[in-house]
Amino acid sequence: MLVLLGIAVVVAGFVARINPLLVILVAAVVTGVLAAVGSDLDLRGLFEAGVATLARFGDAFNDNRYFHITWLILPVIGVLERAGLQERARQLIANVRAATAGRLLLVYLFVRQATSALGLTSLGGHPQMVRPLVAPMAEGAAEAEHGPLPDKVRFRIRGMSAATDNIGLFFGEDIFIAIGSIVLMVGFLEQAGLKVEALHISLWAIPTAIAAFIVHGLRLWLLDRALKRDLAAPSSEMEAAR
């Protein structure tokens, strides 16, 4: 029954709004130590039980360290943003005269689809690519062309940046033969008595990916036209008022 006190530690820690990672760590140590109480150990033995529990955490982290690398990227991105990553991205793209928000996102769509088709789905994403780089660069291109942006336009560009990443990933990854969706379709068809090669499914995903690229590319072209129309209207109104 004493080992159940670890659950009480978790509940108390969450109620007190203490750091969840710290609460879980303390609860695990408490559970490990109390599990050894029934073995008639002295204080030294209980201390060693706590150390052994922490060692299990270390072993689990070490065995799955490649999985945790993905999560370590997030604090790195946070530090870079605090150091001015988004501002640098805006300044960089503002120096390219031919860049517009739509053209920039079209290039990113092509790169995202191409890398996803090769199985490199982790090269993009909202937290590690869209928020710190792609969206600020698209905003910078629009600012260089049209001047300061109202919040409505800025949020629209951010939304289109996120949508571009989603479309590139969704329609690009199905071309990769070892992706989970293709394996699922092959297994489902085999259960229905239809034997289909995974390579054939991935090849038939190519026309769909091309169609998605064309359709979303048209949407990005219309985005540039809409920005030019909407942002030119206020300036013309100001000139008429003068």
Side-chain angles (χ1 to χ4, degrees):
M1 293 295 294
L2 290 177
V3 296
L4 297 179
L5 291 178
I7 300 177
V9 173
V10 173
V11 174
F14 286 167
V15 170
R17 302 189 178 219
I18 303 174
N19 189 309
L21 294 179
L22 180 61
V23 171
I24 294 173
L25 179 62
V26 172
V29 173
V30 169
T31 302
V33 171
L34 293 180
V37 170
S39 303
D40 296 331
L41 298 177
D42 55 8
L43 291 178
R44 181 179 178 84
L46 295 178
F47 176 77
E48 291 177 353
V51 173
T53 303
L54 290 176
R56 290 291 183 91
F57 269 91
D59 292 339
F61 182 85
N62 186 63
D63 293 340
N64 300 279
R65 59 188 180 276
Y66 298 111
F67 173 77
H68 295 293
I69 289 177
T70 304
W71 301 106
L72 293 177
I73 295 175
L74 298 180
V76 172
I77 293 175
V79 173
L80 291 175
E81 286 192 9
R82 185 178 180 84
L85 177 62
Q86 293 189 6
E87 289 74 13
R88 293 294 182 181
R90 288 190 180 93
Q91 293 175 4
L92 176 64
I93 201 64
N95 295 328
V96 181
R97 295 183 178 179
T100 64
R103 292 172 186 171
L104 175 69
L105 294 178
L106 183 64
V107 172
Y108 179 69
L109 174 64
F110 175 79
V111 174
R112 185 65 163 138
Q113 267 197 338
T115 54
S116 298
L118 298 175
L120 304 176
T121 57
S122 299
L123 291 183
H126 294 183
Q128 65 267 35
M129 186 64 70
V130 174
R131 184 182 186 278
L133 287 176
V134 177
M137 293 177 74
E139 292 177 28
E143 289 175 346
E145 184 179 8
H146 305 291
L149 303 177
D151 289 340
K152 183 179 180 180
V153 173
R154 194 177 299 276
F155 294 148
R156 182 178 182 182
I157 293 175
R158 292 176 184 178
M160 189 62 76
S161 301
T164 301
D165 183 88
N166 289 342
I167 293 171
L169 172 64
F170 186 84
F171 291 98
E173 67 178 359
D174 286 340
I175 301 175
F176 185 57
I177 191 172
I179 203 68
S181 58
I182 291 182
V183 176
L184 177 63
M185 286 186 283
V186 171
F188 177 80
L189 292 174
E190 285 184 355
Q191 291 179 357
L194 300 174
K195 188 174 181 180
V196 180
E197 297 293 335
L199 179 60
H200 293 165
I201 296 179
S202 64
L203 289 177
W204 277 105
I206 295 178
T208 306
I210 295 175
F213 181 86
I214 295 173
V215 172
H216 193 64
L218 178 62
R219 294 181 64 198
L220 296 175
W221 178 72
L222 293 175
L223 173 67
D224 277 342
R225 288 176 60 89
L227 293 179
K228 185 177 296 185
R229 181 185 65 249
D230 296 342
L231 296 176
S235 59
S236 60
E237 291 177 359
M238 292 179 61
E239 291 179 358
R242 291 179 182 176

